[in-house]
Amino acid sequence: MKLLAAIALSLCLSTAHASQETDACDAHRQTLERQMATALNQDNSAQLDALQAELNKTNAECTPDAIAQKRADALRRHDSAVAEARNRLRDWEAELARARKKGTDQLNIAAWERKVKRARADLDRAVARPIQ
């Protein structure tokens, strides 16, 4: 049951994110179209060409597939950063455990503890970082 709830929540969040992306694309298109109308009224063909190229680029980047791909890439980068932070924390915790088991002096153990603490903070930041 928890799995179904988690899946439903992730689908809602991804739909909300896609809607935000679509809204941003629509707003950008409208801005470009207004600027194109102004350039047309001013008979500024160079600006009109540049704005048309920008509109074409926006249209290509704002397809549902392109938005989904951007979202998947962002999620993959986020997951990779979290996994890397987890691995680093696990490595430092193992080094700290070895140092304690070996009976290393307190100064070195304190240094390992600081590294573990920093790695935990890095992991927390990686998890909390918004997916963009």
Side-chain angles (χ1 to χ4, degrees):
M1 189 63 168
K2 289 181 184 179
L3 178 61
L4 290 176
I7 292 171
L9 178 62
S10 69
L11 288 174
C12 289
L13 291 176
S14 82
T15 302
H17 189 277
S19 177
Q20 291 171 347
E21 287 283 332
T22 303
D23 293 346
C25 288
D26 291 342
H28 188 62
R29 274 190 203 101
Q30 289 173 356
T31 300
L32 289 172
E33 288 167 354
R34 279 194 300 275
Q35 291 173 349
M36 288 173 74
T38 302
L40 187 61
N41 288 338
Q42 296 173 351
D43 200 27
N44 188 342
S45 62
Q47 185 181 15
L48 191 58
D49 290 344
L51 290 168
Q52 183 62 51
E54 180 67 23
L55 182 60
N56 292 344
K57 178 181 171 195
T58 299
N59 287 334
E61 292 174 351
C62 288
T63 65
D65 289 343
I67 292 171
Q69 184 62 48
K70 273 194 256 183
R71 176 75 176 152
D73 291 345
L75 186 58
R76 201 171 8 265
R77 284 190 307 272
H78 180 267
D79 290 347
S80 176
V82 169
E84 185 178 321
R86 271 197 186 107
N87 289 339
R88 195 173 315 113
L89 175 59
R90 190 175 17 250
D91 291 346
W92 290 139
E93 286 174 335
E95 290 296 328
L96 175 60
R98 271 187 232 119
R100 284 182 174 152
K101 185 177 179 182
K102 203 161 80 168
T104 306
D105 66 84
Q106 285 301 337
L107 194 58
N108 284 335
I109 288 176
W112 285 115
E113 288 172 342
R114 284 191 303 275
K115 287 182 180 186
V116 167
K117 185 177 177 181
R118 266 191 309 245
R120 278 194 186 117
D122 289 346
L123 175 58
D124 291 342
R125 277 192 300 276
V127 168
R129 190 169 295 126
I131 299 171
Q132 298 178 352

